[in-house]
Amino acid sequence: MNDTHHRFSIAPMMDWTTRDCRYFHRQLTRRALLYTEMVTTGALLHGDVARHLDYDAAEHPLALQLGGSDPGELAHSAELAERWGYAEVNLNCGCPSDRVQEGRFGACLMREPAHVAASVAAMRGATALPVTVKCRIGVDDCEDEVFLRAFVDHVAAAGCETFIVHARKAWLKGLSPKENREVPPLNYDVVYRLKQDYPQLRIVINGGIETVDDCEEHLRHVDGVMLGRAAYHRPWLLSEVDERLFGAQASTRDRHQIVHALFPYVEQRLAAGNNLPTITRHILGLFHGQPGGRQWRRVLSERACRSGAGIEVIEDALAAVSAASEFCKVA
């Protein structure tokens, strides 16, 4: 994987960054690093591996995020990641949900830096892929920078060279996962200082970043930026990424052309037995802020779930956008 890919990435988001979402995002940016949803080691050990790890080749560069705490299970899962052709394997040390706490993984692992280091070492011993870690700046009352540096010291010593840091601490009790993304205050300066103190490491910042302008500002201080909800709800901003953040040629396709480019993929997925809403729910925000954006969402939301729904629903949604746009011009 090219070292510059971490310059901009799209965060792993449960139920959102599915393969259908990632294929769509790849139509908007060729250079961004994409991440899977978090996949637990238990799902790979005891479940349908192909269902969790399969993807379209067009999604590359693509990283697999793992949730787990057993070094042996993580090593096995990292080996699977390499076997399936992923470009990176990432260990989740930032999710604060009750589910991950019960399984002793996610943000609670930040309290066990030696254990995380042992897990990273086991993963690195099982694969040639880069092993990265996504974490918070603190957990509960453990929020001083000494705590964060102790965590980074242990894990970096095990061979982790890239840390993706959500610039909020996690509250393991009292806040829901949604509240943990919004209530704890952002502190970007902590992440900036982490980069200053560890210039040899790749530090990627995450949390509350909304625009490509914001990304450019953060990149003055750190090596990379990761966007989550902003990229999902307003995906057209991804069309600016390749030119502005990577210095690559910008795509000349407009929103309508992007949708038409998805048709062969959608037909393939429908033929494989997938239903239309699982695909179209990820493209609802494509016309956000544009004339016809409401009509686009309404047609897809109301008709994609009907029995036998196919490409014609997306075509009708595009026609509704065009009609609304023409009305605005006349008005």
Side-chain angles (χ1 to χ4, degrees), residues 240-262:
E240 303 177 54
V241 164
D242 290 1
E243 180 177 32
R244 292 181 59 182
L245 302 185
F246 291 94
Q249 184 174 359
S251 172
T252 59
R253 297 188 296 182
D254 62 22
R255 290 174 173 85
H256 288 257
Q257 291 169 325
I258 292 290
V259 175
H260 281 288
L262 289 172

Side-chain angles (χ1 to χ4, degrees), residues 10 31 39 93 104 130 210 239 279:
I10 301 174
R31 301 295 295 274
V39 179
C93 293
R104 194 188 169 209
E210 295 289 335
S239 67
I279 305 168

Side-chain angles (χ1 to χ4, degrees), residues 180-256:
N180 260 295
R181 293 192 298 267
E182 300 170 352
V183 174
L186 286 160
N187 194 334
Y188 295 133
D189 287 340
V190 169
V191 186
Y192 296 166
R193 287 193 291 269
L194 190 68
K195 177 58 189 178
Q196 292 170 3
D197 291 345
Y198 297 88
Q200 76 279 16
L201 298 178
R202 183 181 294 111
I203 303 297
V204 178
I205 198 166
N206 171 233
I209 303 167
E210 295 289 335
T211 68
V212 178
D213 287 343
D214 293 340
C215 293
E216 289 179 327
E217 174 59 27
H218 285 300
L219 286 169
R220 295 176 56 242
H221 307 278
V222 293
D223 302 298
V225 180
M226 174 180 278
L227 260 67
R229 287 167 291 165
Y232 189 87
H233 292 304
R234 294 181 285 108
W236 188 249
L237 70 82
L238 297 175
S239 67
E240 303 177 54
V241 164
D242 290 1
E243 180 177 32
R244 292 181 59 182
L245 302 185
F246 291 94
Q249 184 174 359
S251 172
T252 59
R253 297 188 296 182
D254 62 22
R255 290 174 173 85
H256 288 257

Side-chain angles (χ1 to χ4, degrees), residues 280-294:
T280 56
R281 67 188 179 95
H282 302 297
I283 64 176
L284 291 175
L286 181 58
F287 289 90
H288 175 86
Q290 298 295 302
R294 182 176 300 176

Side-chain angles (χ1 to χ4, degrees), residues 130-187:
V131 176
T132 67
V133 166
K134 189 171 190 293
C135 64
R136 296 275 185 139
I137 59 173
V139 179
D140 292 338
D141 294 325
C142 302
E143 59 179 322
D144 60 47
E145 294 182 46
V146 174
F147 170 81
L148 177 60
R149 280 162 177 71
F151 177 81
V152 171
D153 282 340
H154 275 86
V155 180
C160 179
E161 299 178 347
T162 300
F163 291 81
I164 303 159
V165 187
H166 188 147
R168 288 184 174 95
K169 70 175 181 179
W171 281 107
L172 299 182
K173 300 295 182 184
L175 293 181
S176 69
K178 180 179 185 297
E179 290 169 330
N180 260 295
R181 293 192 298 267
E182 300 170 352
V183 174
L186 286 160
N187 194 334

